[in-house]
């Protein structure tokens, strides 16, 4: 649903929308809170009102150009939030596996096989990434590894589960229902208007929290998908897309599914897959552009690859949404039901570790532990005092730790507020610390290019 709407109507179709880890945390927390009430209402009816209140706030925010607030969002907030999302994926992978020790029909043997499958998928996925970024193989093959390495890993690991003793252990597979049918055999339409009046009012603060989460999560996903490392040419439209996000949120509540929004790390991964590479000589003279990213001069390849364009289109987002629809048909649901849950856990682990690998927080840590004599002379962090790098890392990790800690408690309903507080901390607290202006510019800066930020009034 989200893929169809955002690929056709949105101004930023490169941003992949779907169900994220944070919205799953929020939905589960609301469910846990309602379970404690003896007079608890129907969960889907209550969520329907939560989503409706959130949708109304989305529309109001879009009409009054609230997305202009994004000019205060910098890499500090994005890196901290991205670090949190990465660890949520890792945690979900662990939860998928640990539940099988009590839920697996074959007992602990099937659970241990699921762990092996998860580790194999994690390893295979990263091996494909390493091969794609290496200087080995032909450029077409490297591009193939980058684009199709993970699907190959999923198919291969799923097949491995049916080989020899692995098949005998009967590892748990993904649960499926009938074709185009809602979970639990319920009807698709959620009659949320039947919710008692008092619960309609109680749903409003939950809707406000959801609005705060999506305002940050979706817009940050859009920013990262249009990061300064991508040479985009088509203008963004944050206000327009946020209005459409309100529509998808309302529809999600109407049919009883989790509300979609921008995905991290899938959104920037989508843009990265569409980058066209060119070749730049050591004297920075660009000598060629090719869809596959290389140019040969006199039979000798020189220089380094760098992005020169992005294939900005709506087709890839629409196609991936169409494929999700295809998977809801009977034959493909049967195939989907053959995928072991261990493979799903490994996929979560891969997404989490791959996002951590590219995180700005990870990059700062790696710099601090590198041999100084082997650090390139042009490395910008050389111009920053190590104590200041440790200080910014401490603040980012404190924000990550606070967010992660609160999501482990019943107070997890407030974690979007903690995430949102990262913005005023960056704008009002961090500048008071002993950073020089030059150091702060290196350690933190705009997430997207001036071209992208212009639509929200420019960056701070």
């Amino acid at each position: 649903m989200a893929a169809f709407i955002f690929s056709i109507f949105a101004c930023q179709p490169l941003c992949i929308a779907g169900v994220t880890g944070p919205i799953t945390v929020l939905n589960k927390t609301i469910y846990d809170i309602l379970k404690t009430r003896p007079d608890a209402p129907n969960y889907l009816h209550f969520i329907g009102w939560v989503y409706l209140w959130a949708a109304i706030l989305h529309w109001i925010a879009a009409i009054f150009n609230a997305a202009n607030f994004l000019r205060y969002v910098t890499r500090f907030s994005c890196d901290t939030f991205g670090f949190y999302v990465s660890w949520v994926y890792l945690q979900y992978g662990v939860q998928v596996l640990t539940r099988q020790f009590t839920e697996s029909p074959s007992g602990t043997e099937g659970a241990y096989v699921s762990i092996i499958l998860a580790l194999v998928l994690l390893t295979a996925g990263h091996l494909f990434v390493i091969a794609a970024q290496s200087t080995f193989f032909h450029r077409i093959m490297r591009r193939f590894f980058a684009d199709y390495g993970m699907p190959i890993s999923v198919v291969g690991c799923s097949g491995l589960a049916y080989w020899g003793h692995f098949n005998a252990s009967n590892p748990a597979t993904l649960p499926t229902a009938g074709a185009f049918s809602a979970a639990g055999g319920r009807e698709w339409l959620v009659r949320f208007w039947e919710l008692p009046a008092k619960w309609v009012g109680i749903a409003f603060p939950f809707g406000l929290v959801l609005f705060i989460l999506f305002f940050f999560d979706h817009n940050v996903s859009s920013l990262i998908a249009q990061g300064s490392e991508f040479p985009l040419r088509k203008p963004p439209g944050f206000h327009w897309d946020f209005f459409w996000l309100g529509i998808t949120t309302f529809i999600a509540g109407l049919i009883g599914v989790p509300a979609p929004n921008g995905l991290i790390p899938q959104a920037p991964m989508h843009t990265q897959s569409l980058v066209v590479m060119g070749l730049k000589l050591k004297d920075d003279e660009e000598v060629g552009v090719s869809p596959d990213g290389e140019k040969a001069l006199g039979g000798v390849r020189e220089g380094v690859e760098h992005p020169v364009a992005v294939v900005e289109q709506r087709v890839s987002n629409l196609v991936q949404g169409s494929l999700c629809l295809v998977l809801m048909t009977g034959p493909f649901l049967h195939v989907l039901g053959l995928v072991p849950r261990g493979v799903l856990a490994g996929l979560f682990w891969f997404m989490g570790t791959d996002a951590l690998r590219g995180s700005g927080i990870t990059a700062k840590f790696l710099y601090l532990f590198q041999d100084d004599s082997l650090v390139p002379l042009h490395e910008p962090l050389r111009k920053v005092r190590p104590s200041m790098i440790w200080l910014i890392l401490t603040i980012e990790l404190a924000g990550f730790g606070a967010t992660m800690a609160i999501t482990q408690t019943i107070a997890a309903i407030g974690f979007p507020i903690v995430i949102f507080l990262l913005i005023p901390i960056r704008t009002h607290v961090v500048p008071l610390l002993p950073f020089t202006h030059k150091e702060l510019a290196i350690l933190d800066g705009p997430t997207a290019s001036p071209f992208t930020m212009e639509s929200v009034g420019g960056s701070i």
Side-chain angles (χ1 to χ4, degrees):
M1 178 262 292
F4 280 102
I5 289 179
F6 279 98
S7 62
I8 296 173
F9 299 106
C11 288
Q12 301 163 138
L14 295 181
C15 181
I16 298 293
V19 179
T20 64
I23 184 61
T24 305
V25 172
L26 185 66
N27 286 340
K28 183 180 182 303
T29 303
I30 294 175
Y31 179 78
D32 291 340
I33 291 174
L34 292 180
K35 277 201 313 183
T36 63
R37 300 285 303 182
D39 57 341
N42 181 285
Y43 172 72
L44 289 179
H45 291 178
F46 185 79
I47 282 291
W49 272 103
V50 170
Y51 284 10
L52 176 57
W53 285 124
I56 293 172
L57 293 172
H58 278 66
W59 297 330
I60 293 173
I63 291 170
F64 289 98
N65 295 338
N68 285 345
F69 191 70
L70 291 177
R71 66 192 303 265
Y72 299 102
V73 176
T74 61
R75 290 201 310 267
F76 170 85
S77 306
C78 294
D79 286 347
T80 306
F81 180 66
F83 202 74
Y84 162 74
V85 172
S86 301
W87 281 98
V88 167
Y89 276 121
L90 295 176
Q91 183 184 35
Y92 280 176
V94 172
Q95 289 175 350
V96 169
L97 294 174
T98 54
R99 287 171 185 164
Q100 293 187 51
F101 283 95
T102 56
E103 299 176 2
S104 178
S106 58
T108 58
E109 185 178 353
Y112 283 122
V113 168
S114 294
I115 294 175
I116 294 173
L117 294 174
L119 292 174
V120 170
L121 183 96
L122 174 64
T123 304
H126 280 293
L127 286 176
F128 275 115
V129 171
I130 293 170
Q133 296 176 349
S134 71
T135 57
F136 297 104
F137 310 107
H138 190 271
R139 60 181 180 273
I140 296 178
M141 184 61 69
R142 295 201 304 271
R143 190 73 186 198
F144 179 81
F145 289 157
D147 292 341
Y148 300 103
M150 182 45 60
I152 292 173
S153 300
V154 170
V155 173
C157 289
S158 298
L160 182 63
Y162 297 93
W163 174 67
H165 291 292
F166 283 176
N167 187 30
S169 67
N170 192 25
T173 57
L174 298 180
T176 57
F180 298 102
S181 61
R186 65 173 179 85
E187 61 178 353
W188 274 109
L189 181 65
V190 175
R191 304 178 188 278
F192 64 89
W193 52 86
E194 297 177 356
L195 187 72
K198 76 166 187 175
W199 290 102
V200 173
I202 294 174
F204 177 76
F206 292 94
L208 177 62
V209 171
L210 176 59
F211 162 74
I212 294 173
L213 172 63
F214 275 12
F215 184 84
F216 188 91
D217 193 357
H218 181 78
N219 287 315
V220 165
S221 299
S222 297
L223 280 174
I224 297 177
Q226 302 173 94
S228 54
E229 68 272 26
F230 303 125
L232 299 171
R233 292 182 172 85
K234 295 183 179 180
F238 293 96
H239 311 290
W240 176 257
D241 284 13
F242 201 63
F243 183 88
W244 279 104
L245 186 66
I247 294 177
T248 59
T249 301
F250 170 68
I251 296 175
L254 194 61
I255 62 177
V257 298
N261 72 299
L263 289 168
I264 297 176
Q266 291 90 333
M269 288 170 64
H270 178 228
T271 308
Q272 182 64 49
S273 69
L274 299 171
V275 169
V276 177
M277 304 298 289
L279 195 69
K280 183 181 293 186
L281 290 177
K282 295 179 181 179
D283 60 358
D284 290 340
E285 177 188 354
E286 187 176 323
V287 298
V289 178
S290 74
D292 300 310
E294 290 190 2
K295 179 74 175 181
L297 295 178
V300 180
R301 290 168 181 160
E302 301 179 7
V304 293
E305 291 181 329
H306 72 122
V308 296
V310 175
V311 183
E312 301 177 62
Q313 39 72 47
R314 300 175 180 271
V315 176
S316 55
N317 199 346
L318 180 62
V319 168
Q320 66 93 17
S322 301
L323 290 176
C324 291
L325 197 63
V326 170
L327 285 175
M328 293 181 66
T329 61
F332 283 95
L333 274 177
H334 174 72
V335 174
L336 196 62
L338 298 176
V339 177
R341 297 187 190 182
V343 172
L344 177 65
L347 185 60
F348 282 147
W349 283 353
F350 173 80
M351 289 191 295
T353 53
D354 191 58
L356 287 175
R357 186 178 58 86
S359 168
I361 294 178
T362 306
K364 296 186 190 77
F365 266 119
L366 292 178
Y367 169 79
L368 289 170
F369 289 102
Q370 277 184 300
D371 185 341
D372 189 62
S373 63
L374 300 178
V375 176
L377 294 176
H378 61 269
E379 169 60 55
L381 290 176
R382 277 186 172 274
K383 302 175 183 178
V384 182
R385 291 168 291 170
S387 59
M388 294 300 99
I389 301 177
W390 280 113
L391 180 57
I392 196 72
L393 279 173
T394 301
I395 300 170
E396 289 174 330
L397 291 177
F400 156 72
T403 308
M404 199 69 185
I406 196 173
T407 56
Q408 310 306 313
T409 69
I410 196 66
I413 193 66
F415 84 91
I417 298 174
V418 177
I419 293 172
F420 196 76
L421 288 176
L422 294 172
I423 301 174
I425 288 174
R426 167 59 184 91
T427 55
H428 298 294
V429 177
V430 172
L432 301 177
L433 300 175
F435 297 101
T436 65
H437 180 74
K438 186 176 181 180
E439 287 176 332
L440 201 53
I442 294 173
L443 292 171
D444 186 34
T447 303
S449 65
F451 169 75
T452 300
M453 299 303 295
E454 185 179 353
S455 67
V456 293
S459 56
I460 57 173

